[in-house]
Amino acid sequence: MHDPSSKPTPRRGKVSDPATEIDANSYSAFVVELKRRISEARHRASLAVNHELILLYWGIGRDILARQQREGWGAKVIDRLADDLRRIFPEMTGLSARNLKYMRAFAAAWTDAEFVQRVVAQLPWGHNVSLLDTVKATEKRAWYAEQAIEHGWSRAVLVHQIEGDLFARQGSALTNFSRTLPAGQSELAQQLLKDPYTFDFLALGPDMLERDLERGLIDHLRSLILELGKGFAFVGSQYHLEVGGQDYYVDLLFYHLRLRCFVVIELKIEEFKPEFAGKMNFYLSAIDDQLKHKDDQPTIGIILCKGRNEIIVEYALRDSSKPMGVAQYRLSPALPAQYQTTLPTVEELAREFPLISVVKLRIEIERALRDTMSEHGLLPAKPIGIDNMLRALHERSLAPAGTERFLESLRVMNEAAHGLDVDPESSRRAAEIGAAFLAELTRPL
């Protein structure tokens, strides 16, 4: 019987074990998303501060110019102005007379306010000063400014590209891309090729062999990728192909992240010969057949020669159905023997530049994810990034268990793929996590 003296127990919501109350995968995905949004917001904030500072400097320079022209002020007014401004704003470090002169030169160099807003204000002040100091032609300076933004060049890399006259070399290789690639692909591929390539980080004597050139480029792989340009990810050297029961070896094999295709580079220490094109055509066919993914674009070949005759190149490429180009390279003079010992060893470079293996691993993971998406009928018509593929798999409970841990290392992989500096320990850890995730992703069910 019911005891009337007993007090009813208050009704409460369902109580569950806190450890099982929150879905672990859902929570982890939420944390990863918040980390991404917070990082992006912080990055936007830093960009906004830089943007406003550059616009301020441009405005100050423009006003100084206007006053000097309208009121006839001489150059000495800048020294006086610097003293007054530093007294009013003692905490600001950019108001020296030297910097005010740069502001005036900055405003004189960039008269288009829209271009300043859209492009120049995205660059740090140090980049803009280097452009003022080293590039006088407006068109050329604007090109370097846009390239620095697109490729994320540091100030040192920007100066290096200017000194190497990248503006004149970009898009100058002789190719058959316009005939063998779709319009958009051919234009992008053409612009990515240079002529000549500058391998001034090598010091090889006149008696060098092709294997010496190849070994030198591999030993200086970071410098090679910087010279090749953004998007080149190293796959291997002397890459083995088996065709018809016989062995063949490609000098250098890359994958281009923007073109979405393999790139074969063959090295020659002599003038271009027509038979080089025939051999390259053979390699491109083999790689398209053995390595190319169904979503990849046709493989591109680059023949790097000591020299070339334009007419011979034109004849050699005219009837080829495979996309290839021919470019020259130049080397620095050989170092004296006593300085050879100061060059870094392969082991030292391997320790210093572990990001190459990270980039290669990222490509393999992205390809494996595309395969997984395709197997489950989830692959969209347009390519999507790794983040979106993992999100789509997670929504259908198809994401591997190691997804959360992998996403933490994906940032490092993305930075490496875009040529940014990554510390060795972060690269090593990203490679370790990525390799485990790839093994999990490709493990048979």
Side-chain angles (χ1 to χ4, degrees), residues 281-390:
N281 196 82
F282 173 80
Y283 284 153
L284 297 181
S285 295
I287 291 195
D288 278 343
D289 184 55
Q290 298 182 19
L291 300 180
K292 178 177 173 290
H293 189 274
K294 65 179 184 299
D295 295 326
D296 287 339
Q297 297 296 323
T299 305
I300 291 173
I302 305 174
I303 303 171
L304 290 181
C305 302
K306 189 175 182 180
R308 56 166 170 72
N309 181 299
E310 294 188 13
I311 296 177
I312 294 176
V313 171
E314 196 276 328
Y315 272 55
L317 301 186
R318 177 180 294 180
D319 295 322
S320 174
S321 62
K322 295 292 184 180
M324 66 180 79
V326 178
Q328 302 169 101
Y329 61 83
R330 62 186 180 213
L331 305 171
S332 66
L335 287 177
Q338 63 267 31
Y339 294 120
Q340 292 289 341
T341 56
T342 66
L343 293 175
T345 65
V346 177
E347 291 75 17
E348 290 169 340
L349 283 159
R351 288 195 300 270
E352 190 174 0
F353 304 131
L355 59 84
I356 302 301
S357 61
V358 174
V359 173
K360 180 182 177 184
L361 185 59
R362 184 191 182 283
I363 295 171
E364 294 173 351
I365 290 172
E366 183 172 1
R367 184 168 292 138
L369 281 171
R370 288 206 305 265
D371 290 341
T372 302
M373 295 277 288
S374 180
E375 288 172 7
H376 292 87
L378 302 175
L379 197 65
K382 293 184 178 180
I384 60 174
I386 290 178
D387 284 341
N388 290 329
M389 285 192 283
L390 286 173

Side-chain angles (χ1 to χ4, degrees), residues 122-405:
Q122 295 187 48
L123 291 172
W125 181 238
H127 285 59
N128 281 303
V129 168
S130 293
L131 285 170
L132 292 174
D133 285 339
T134 56
V135 186
K136 303 308 176 187
T138 302
E139 177 190 359
K140 194 173 180 180
R141 192 189 315 115
W143 185 85
Y144 278 114
E146 291 174 330
Q147 293 296 307
I149 293 169
E150 179 182 351
H151 298 289
W153 290 341
S154 67
R155 185 178 183 180
V157 171
L158 171 62
V159 172
H160 172 79
Q161 301 291 22
I162 293 171
E163 291 175 347
D165 199 15
L166 179 61
F167 178 79
R169 296 187 291 122
Q170 198 82 1
S172 300
L174 300 177
T175 75
N176 63 0
F177 293 164
S178 62
R179 184 173 51 77
T180 57
L181 292 173
Q185 184 86 349
S186 68
E187 292 170 8
L188 177 57
Q190 182 68 47
Q191 287 305 310
L192 289 173
L193 266 60
K194 307 169 187 173
D195 187 50
Y197 284 84
T198 301
F199 300 148
D200 54 7
F201 48 87
L202 297 181
L204 300 171
D207 298 327
M208 71 172 182
L209 302 174
E210 284 177 4
R211 63 175 176 270
D212 297 323
L213 176 59
E214 179 187 331
R215 188 180 300 118
L217 292 176
I218 295 303
D219 288 353
H220 296 77
L221 195 52
R222 179 79 179 278
S223 298
L224 170 61
I225 289 179
L226 176 61
E227 174 62 12
L228 290 176
K230 180 182 178 181
F232 280 89
F234 181 63
V235 177
S237 64
Q238 289 300 304
Y239 193 90
H240 176 249
L241 297 171
E242 182 178 338
V243 181
Q246 299 185 39
D247 296 323
Y248 297 91
Y249 297 89
V250 172
D251 285 347
L252 299 172
L253 182 61
F254 291 84
Y255 187 88
H256 199 280
L257 301 175
R258 289 181 63 193
L259 291 172
R260 292 291 172 185
C261 70
F262 286 99
V263 180
V264 175
I265 296 181
E266 280 291 287
L267 305 169
K268 303 298 178 184
I269 60 171
E270 56 188 317
E271 296 278 326
F272 174 80
K273 294 179 180 178
E275 52 264 37
F276 296 165
K279 185 177 182 182
M280 176 61 79
N281 196 82
F282 173 80
Y283 284 153
L284 297 181
S285 295
I287 291 195
D288 278 343
D289 184 55
Q290 298 182 19
L291 300 180
K292 178 177 173 290
H293 189 274
K294 65 179 184 299
D295 295 326
D296 287 339
Q297 297 296 323
T299 305
I300 291 173
I302 305 174
I303 303 171
L304 290 181
C305 302
K306 189 175 182 180
R308 56 166 170 72
N309 181 299
E310 294 188 13
I311 296 177
I312 294 176
V313 171
E314 196 276 328
Y315 272 55
L317 301 186
R318 177 180 294 180
D319 295 322
S320 174
S321 62
K322 295 292 184 180
M324 66 180 79
V326 178
Q328 302 169 101
Y329 61 83
R330 62 186 180 213
L331 305 171
S332 66
L335 287 177
Q338 63 267 31
Y339 294 120
Q340 292 289 341
T341 56
T342 66
L343 293 175
T345 65
V346 177
E347 291 75 17
E348 290 169 340
L349 283 159
R351 288 195 300 270
E352 190 174 0
F353 304 131
L355 59 84
I356 302 301
S357 61
V358 174
V359 173
K360 180 182 177 184
L361 185 59
R362 184 191 182 283
I363 295 171
E364 294 173 351
I365 290 172
E366 183 172 1
R367 184 168 292 138
L369 281 171
R370 288 206 305 265
D371 290 341
T372 302
M373 295 277 288
S374 180
E375 288 172 7
H376 292 87
L378 302 175
L379 197 65
K382 293 184 178 180
I384 60 174
I386 290 178
D387 284 341
N388 290 329
M389 285 192 283
L390 286 173
R391 188 173 293 113
L393 291 173
H394 173 74
E395 290 172 352
R396 293 161 178 81
S397 301
L398 297 172
T403 296
E404 177 190 352
R405 190 163 180 251

